[in-house]
Every structure is written in C-alpha cells, then in structure tokens.
Amino acid sequence: MADIEAQNEKESEVVAIFKEANRAVALTFEDVVYKVKLKKAGFCGKIVKTEEKVILKGITGKVLPGEMLALLGPSGSGKTTLLTALGGKLGGLLEGNITYNGKNFSNSMKRNMGFVTQDDVLYPHLTVTETLVFTALLRLESTFTKEEKVMHAESVITQLGLTKCKNNIIGGAFLRGISGGERKRVSIGQEMLINPSLLLLDEPTSGLDSTTAQRIVSTLWELAKGGRTIGMTIHQPSSRLFYMFDKVLLLSEGSPLYFGEGSQVMDYFSNIGYAPAVPMNPADFLLDLANGLSSNSTEIPGTVKQNLVSAYKSKLANKLKSEVQGIDDQPQDGLNDKQVSRWATTWWQQFSVLLRRGVKQRKYDSFSGLKIAQILVVALLSGLLWWQSDVSHVQDQMGLLFFYAGFWGFFPLFQAIFTFPQERSMLEKERSSGMYRLSSYFMSRIVSDLPMELVLPTIFLTITYWMAGLKGTPGNFLHTLFVLLYSVLVSGGLGLAIGALVLNQKSATIMGSVIMLSFLLAGGYYVTHVPSFISWIKYISISQYTYKLLLGSQFKPSDTYSCADGAGGVCLVGDYPPIKQVGLDDQVFGAVALGIMLVGYRLIAYLALMRIGVTKK
C-alpha cells in the first residue's frame, strides 16, 4: 500500500512539473496573405504558362489563452492552409504578420506548440502505450529522466481516456487495431506530451460519429480552460459542438466573412440582413452563407459572397486590427529563443530510441509469414533444380551463382525501395515538430534493418548451397555467404536511394526495375561479348561485381573439370570461355567497387531526405 501511495505521489510530482512548464501564448495574425504559383504544362510537359493564385486574402484575428478557435468554411476555403501557416509549417509566398506573445515563430515556440494533422500518422504495429512512450522519450527535455517521461506518458493516457486500450496495437488499413476516435486521441496525446501552450488541430472530428466527436471536442475544451490556446479547423460541427467554441473564423474562397465570439455570430449576420428562415444549426447556416446561399432565393451566390466580404471589411476589419496591434504592443513573457536548443534530446538518445522503435515496428513486416514462405519455397525449388551438381557441371553451377546475384539483387531492392515513400508522412510530421535529427533517424534506420536484411538470405543460401552440392568446405561456404550478404546490403542501399529520390512508390518501382534489369543484362552471364559503346554499364552493375565475386568463391583458375577437348579429358576452369570472359582475377577491385556503392547509395539517400520535413518558414 505504501509503495502504491509513493508511486501516485511521484506521478503527481511529475505532472506538476510538466504543468509548471506550460506558458500562456496569445496567438495573433494580421493581414495574412498566401499565394501559390500554378504552372500549366503544354506538349511533352513543357511549361507554357505560370499563374499566381491567392489562397488566403488578408486574414486577421487573435486567440488568447483559455480560448478555443474554430476555423469554419467549405472545402477549399483555405482553413487548413491558414492553420498550417499559424503552426509555422507553411513556406512559399506567405505575407502578413503572425506572432506568438508578440514574437515571431522560433525554436522555443516550436517546442511549446502541438500540431495535430487531419490524417492520423501512426505506426500500426505499436501499441498505444509504446506510441506515446517513444514520443515522450524523443520530445521531452533531457532534464527529465526516462522514468519521469514514461510516467508523463501514462498520465496523458489517463487524461485522454485511453486506459482501456493502452495495450492494444494502433492498427491500420489491413490490420485491426483501436477505433478511429481512439486513434485521434492518440494523435492528440502525442502533442499533449509536451504540455503545449498552443495546440492546433486539423479536422479532429473528421470521419467520427457525433458522440465520439463530442468527446474529443469536450476534451479539447477542458484543455483550453486549463490555460491553453487552441485552434482547429472543423467542417460541419453539430450545434452542441458549435457553442463550445469561444471564437469563430468563417472563410469563403480565402476571404474572411466573420471573426469574433461564437455566441455573437448569429446576431452579426442578422444585423447585416442575413438570418435563417427557420431555426437551424448555426454551423450549417454559416456554411450556407460561405457557399453563397441565403434565405433570399433571388440573391445569386456571387452577390451574397461579395456582400459578406464588404460587410466584414466595413464592420469588423478595422476593429480587429486595432485589437491585434494592442496585444502585440503589450510586453509579453516568453521563452528566450537563444536559451532554447534546437533539439530536446542528444543525438545518441534519439538514435537509441528510434532504433528500438524501428525494430519493434518493422520486425512484423520483415518477418511476415508470406515473405518467409516465399524465401523457403524459392530456396527449396532452387535446391531441387540444381540438386547435387558437381564441378563437371560448370555451366549449371555458374547459372546458380548468377541466380543468387539476380534474385538477391531484386529482393532487397524492392524491400528497401518502399521504405521512405511509406514513411514520408511520418518523417514530415516528426521532423517538422523538431523531434529528432535526420542523421539520427537515418542511422537508426540503417542499423535496425541490418539483422532483418541479412537473416533471410542466410537461410536461403544455407538451404540451396548444400542441396546444390557446391564446394562443401566451411571456407567456401562462408566466402559465398559473405559475398551474398555484401550484395544484399548494396542492393538495399540502391533501393533506399531510389525511394528517397522519387518518393512515389509506383515511379520508384518502375525506376528500380529498369535499373536492376540493366545491371542483370550487363552482369556477364547472358551476354559475354558486350559491344564497346555500351560496355560501360558493367562498371556500375551490382550484378556484375556480385557474379564475379561469387565465381571467385567457388572456382580457382587451376581447378579442373571433365571435358572432351582437354588432355586426358580434363580442362582448366580458368580456360572455360564464359568464366574466362568474366575473369577470376581482380576480386579485390570488385569488392572495393561494391564498397563504394554501399556507402555512395546511402549517402545519396540521406542527401535526398534532407528536403523532407523541415519547416520552410
């Protein structure tokens, strides 16, 4: 009993510490304008015309600590764009002034802000507890111990009502897990871990039933009343939800139609001549107005929008600007950006946490029953086809070695090629929040994949090697295994580079297939006399170097085989025409060439990833 009380007391102390870290944030935005350049392509993709489109047209407003702002408007009105700009995540042609306690966006503000995207970007194989604990270990300051971070994650789980499902996996499209509402609360919980003073959410009720949506908005309302500043986009809230919002911003085609108290919105539109003909949900009424629909059926939509924009400019715009400037002129207490490091944790802490998280998540994909069955079936089939072929069957053994080079060129390539396209959303989300360095993520990814990349080819070779009757000495087997694993790592690096450069699964697959097929054709088995004008391909071919090293693992120039032309019916392996063409010499050169590719492809992948997930602003 005493231990339980001590534990509860410790948890209360940790929660108190995190609450003390919270600082109130007054969010203001004045004359926010955002433009994008639209390029029109002509014949063969040639750019023939560039147009500039204005997405946000002078948005002004303020949200104070303890208030909850709802951004309303039809699809395409600019709600998400404005929210992204307020979160400091929007680059490009952004104009206007966005301040947090009178200061511009900074490292300290990034560390004090939570941003929840519309899509719940979560790892499907991790449990709720694992998801939040790993996030806590990465995002919370190094001044907190690991135990304190875990306790804080547990307290957030309790606060958001996730206790019943805390040991359930998140799940995904083809993996059953927690419900949609629970997934959304986990996403909110990831941001709540840092006890943000400013919390921004993009469509937190999208796709949820009314009861679940009510529960989530009620939770956010309680957080706001605790002193936080909360803003969210929401498409069509029920009347119960609408009256929970302190402030409402109504947008139509990027133009503001109203900003002010949620309780005053109906009176405002009634005073300018737009009142609902029948009692209705205020949110539905506002969306009708934003779409240009009014109770006066004779008024065309374009005229309605023009009248609302004019009324906003004459009745609200100047008043809002004076209020915003009044807030900015006040001295505000805030964090000194010079005293806040860019990263909450050290490189090694980030690497170790990401390594553990990566192994937990990817072991299910790498060792799925389907992949293991695929490898075993192909291994057994290969072993039976090449059953106990001896040195007299030189051509057959060469075919098996080239099959090794080809199969274990394609398989790891396509394993790795989907890595970064699939994790792009996660990388963008976590990198934009300043969770970790790109280098720590990349190195943890490389290291965590090593055992998963090497286990299956080792099993494959162990089965086929002895069934096919290749040289049975431990030295020859280990030599062949080393070459095969070396090739697997190089092919995996090529897959990572292609995936990072293209970041589109379909395009990356096509590019990878073309490149690997080119390497195979120039690998020295199908064509031995390659024309000089295209022979350069073999110098960049993974298959060619792998095939050459595999031949060296089984044959020596002095080895003999039975033939009809040699003296006594015996010929030297080194004189066998296909082997002579590839050559058994320059083994070191082949190993060095693959080593350069091993490093080079991963370096290309890292440089390509540097453009992902960094805040442009």
Side-chain angles (χ1 to χ4, degrees):
M1 191 69 178
D3 292 340
I4 296 176
E5 291 179 357
Q7 179 75 7
N8 291 337
E9 184 177 349
K10 178 66 175 176
E11 291 180 1
S12 300
E13 291 177 0
V14 172
V15 172
I17 291 173
F18 280 99
K19 284 186 176 179
E20 288 177 4
N22 178 264
R23 294 172 181 265
V25 171
L27 170 64
T28 61
F29 43 101
E30 183 178 1
D31 289 329
V32 176
V33 176
Y34 182 66
K35 304 175 183 177
V36 294
K37 291 185 178 180
L38 302 178
K39 297 179 180 180
K40 291 188 177 181
F43 183 71
C44 294
K46 183 178 179 180
I47 303 300
V48 296
K49 189 176 182 181
T50 301
E51 295 181 352
E52 189 175 78
K53 182 178 180 181
V54 182
I55 305 298
L56 298 177
K57 305 173 183 177
I59 315 296
T60 299
K62 61 183 177 69
V63 197
L64 302 178
E67 293 182 338
M68 188 161 64
L69 166 69
L71 280 67
L72 297 176
S75 299
S77 61
K79 303 188 301 295
T80 298
T81 303
L82 177 59
L83 192 80
T84 307
L86 298 180
K89 300 176 183 291
L90 192 64
L93 303 175
L94 182 64
E95 302 173 5
N97 190 28
I98 301 175
T99 61
Y100 314 82
N101 285 347
K103 299 180 180 180
N104 293 327
F105 189 79
S106 61
N107 286 336
S108 61
M109 193 60 240
K110 179 189 285 190
R111 298 269 286 278
N112 205 27
M113 174 193 296
F115 192 97
V116 180
T117 57
Q118 180 175 354
D119 297 322
D120 301 316
V121 184
L122 302 166
Y123 283 116
H125 290 289
L126 298 182
T127 66
V128 171
T129 298
E130 288 171 343
T131 299
L132 293 176
V133 166
F134 282 130
T135 304
L137 294 175
L138 288 169
R139 296 194 69 176
L140 299 181
E141 298 282 350
S142 299
T143 53
F144 298 105
T145 66
K146 179 181 177 180
E147 291 72 21
E148 289 174 335
K149 292 180 180 181
V150 172
M151 282 186 185
H152 185 54
E154 292 284 354
S155 69
V156 170
I157 289 174
T158 302
Q159 183 181 9
L160 294 177
L162 295 169
T163 305
K164 291 183 179 179
C165 64
K166 69 177 186 178
N167 295 320
N168 297 343
I169 62 171
I170 299 297
F174 305 103
L175 182 66
R176 185 172 182 178
I178 59 178
S179 67
E182 289 167 339
R183 285 171 62 89
K184 181 60 66 178
R185 278 181 280 163
V186 171
S187 296
I188 295 172
Q190 285 186 306
E191 303 305 316
M192 288 303 303
L193 285 167
I194 60 171
N195 193 34
S197 300
L198 174 62
L199 181 60
L200 303 175
L201 308 97
D202 188 13
E203 299 282 0
T205 62
S206 177
L208 303 179
D209 61 83
S210 59
T211 302
T212 305
Q214 171 77 17
R215 186 180 297 119
I216 287 177
V217 176
S218 297
T219 301
L220 295 173
W221 182 84
E222 292 174 1
L223 295 176
K225 299 314 166 187
R228 294 176 179 84
T229 305
I230 293 181
M232 71 178 76
T233 65
I234 190 164
H235 184 64
Q236 202 164 4
S238 65
S239 56
R240 288 192 303 170
L241 297 185
F242 182 85
Y243 288 112
M244 297 176 72
F245 299 123
D246 301 288
K247 297 282 183 63
V248 170
L249 171 59
L250 179 63
L251 296 175
S252 176
E253 298 179 352
S255 297
L257 303 184
Y258 176 81
F259 183 89
E261 303 290 335
S263 58
Q264 303 296 322
V265 63
M266 299 301 286
D267 292 338
Y268 168 79
F269 284 108
S270 296
N271 291 335
I272 62 174
Y274 292 94
V278 295
M280 61 187 302
N281 179 359
D284 293 338
F285 173 66
L286 296 182
L287 286 177
D288 285 346
L289 291 180
N291 282 306
L293 304 176
S294 71
S295 56
N296 184 357
S297 58
T298 61
E299 200 171 7
I300 60 175
T303 303
V304 173
K305 293 180 183 179
Q306 291 176 1
N307 292 339
L308 294 175
V309 170
S310 299
Y312 172 86
K313 290 179 178 179
S314 62
K315 296 182 178 296
L316 295 177
N318 293 332
K319 179 184 176 182
L320 278 174
K321 288 183 180 181
S322 62
E323 291 178 355
V324 167
Q325 291 169 356
I327 291 177
D328 286 347
D329 292 340
Q330 296 176 6
Q332 299 287 345
D333 178 33
L335 295 173
N336 186 351
D337 192 50
K338 295 181 180 179
Q339 298 175 351
V340 178
S341 63
R342 185 178 179 184
W343 312 105
T345 52
T346 64
W347 188 95
W348 180 254
Q349 288 174 325
Q350 294 170 7
F351 171 80
S352 59
V353 173
L354 290 169
L355 180 62
R356 282 184 285 135
R357 187 180 75 172
V359 170
K360 276 184 174 289
Q361 164 61 23
R362 288 190 290 277
K363 66 182 179 182
Y364 298 99
D365 294 329
S366 298
F367 298 124
S368 67
L370 187 61
K371 288 181 181 176
I372 294 174
Q374 176 186 1
I375 295 301
L376 292 178
V377 169
V378 175
L380 291 172
L381 181 60
S382 302
L384 292 173
L385 287 172
W386 275 279
W387 179 260
Q388 296 302 311
S389 64
D390 55 34
V391 72
S392 62
H393 305 142
V394 179
Q395 187 65 42
D396 288 348
Q397 292 193 345
M398 289 176 61
L400 176 60
L401 296 177
F402 192 77
F403 174 72
Y404 284 163
F407 182 76
W408 288 108
F410 268 102
F411 193 85
L413 175 79
F414 287 108
Q415 287 277 95
I417 210 168
F418 299 125
T419 298
F420 297 125
Q422 288 178 341
E423 293 205 353
R424 178 178 183 174
S425 298
M426 181 66 73
L427 192 56
E428 287 178 339
K429 169 190 169 183
E430 295 183 338
R431 286 272 292 146
S432 64
S433 65
M435 189 179 291
Y436 48 72
R437 299 167 177 83
L438 178 62
S439 58
S440 61
Y441 163 81
F442 189 79
M443 289 304 299
S444 71
R445 180 79 214 209
I446 298 302
V447 174
S448 66
D449 281 346
L450 282 178
M452 304 181 195
E453 288 181 344
L454 303 182
V455 169
L456 291 180
T458 301
I459 295 173
F460 181 91
L461 183 69
T462 303
I463 295 173
T464 59
Y465 192 92
W466 305 107
M467 290 181 69
L470 298 176
K471 284 188 176 179
T473 65
N476 288 107
F477 172 74
L478 293 176
H479 188 174
T480 307
L481 178 61
F482 172 79
V483 173
L484 186 65
L485 298 182
Y486 196 23
S487 170
V488 165
L489 293 178
V490 176
S491 298
L494 175 59
L496 292 175
I498 294 173
L501 286 169
V502 179
L503 288 176
N504 178 281
Q505 294 188 27
K506 185 176 180 180
S507 300
T509 302
I510 295 173
M511 181 181 293
S513 300
V514 172
I515 292 174
M516 189 53 68
L517 284 172
S518 301
F519 287 172
L520 279 176
L521 292 174
Y525 182 78
Y526 297 119
V527 184
T528 55
H529 298 88
V530 181
S532 57
F533 63 84
I534 200 173
S535 61
W536 57 269
I537 295 180
K538 69 180 181 180
Y539 295 109
I540 61 172
S541 170
I542 298 174
S543 303
Q544 194 266 346
Y545 292 118
T546 303
Y547 181 47
K548 187 182 186 73
L549 292 176
L550 286 173
L551 289 176
S553 72
Q554 291 297 309
F555 303 117
K556 293 181 180 178
S558 59
D559 289 344
T560 60
Y561 67 97
S562 299
C563 67
D565 300 331
V570 176
C571 297
L572 293 175
V573 169
D575 293 332
Y576 188 64
I579 291 182
K580 189 174 182 179
Q581 187 66 33
V582 177
L584 295 176
D585 54 351
D586 294 334
Q587 294 283 303
V588 175
F589 176 78
V592 171
L594 287 179
I596 294 173
M597 295 180 187
L598 178 70
V599 176
Y601 287 141
R602 283 168 171 77
L603 181 60
I604 292 172
Y606 179 79
L607 295 176
L609 288 178
M610 291 179 69
R611 71 186 192 274
I612 297 179
V614 180
T615 301
K616 302 290 191 303
K617 189 177 175 182

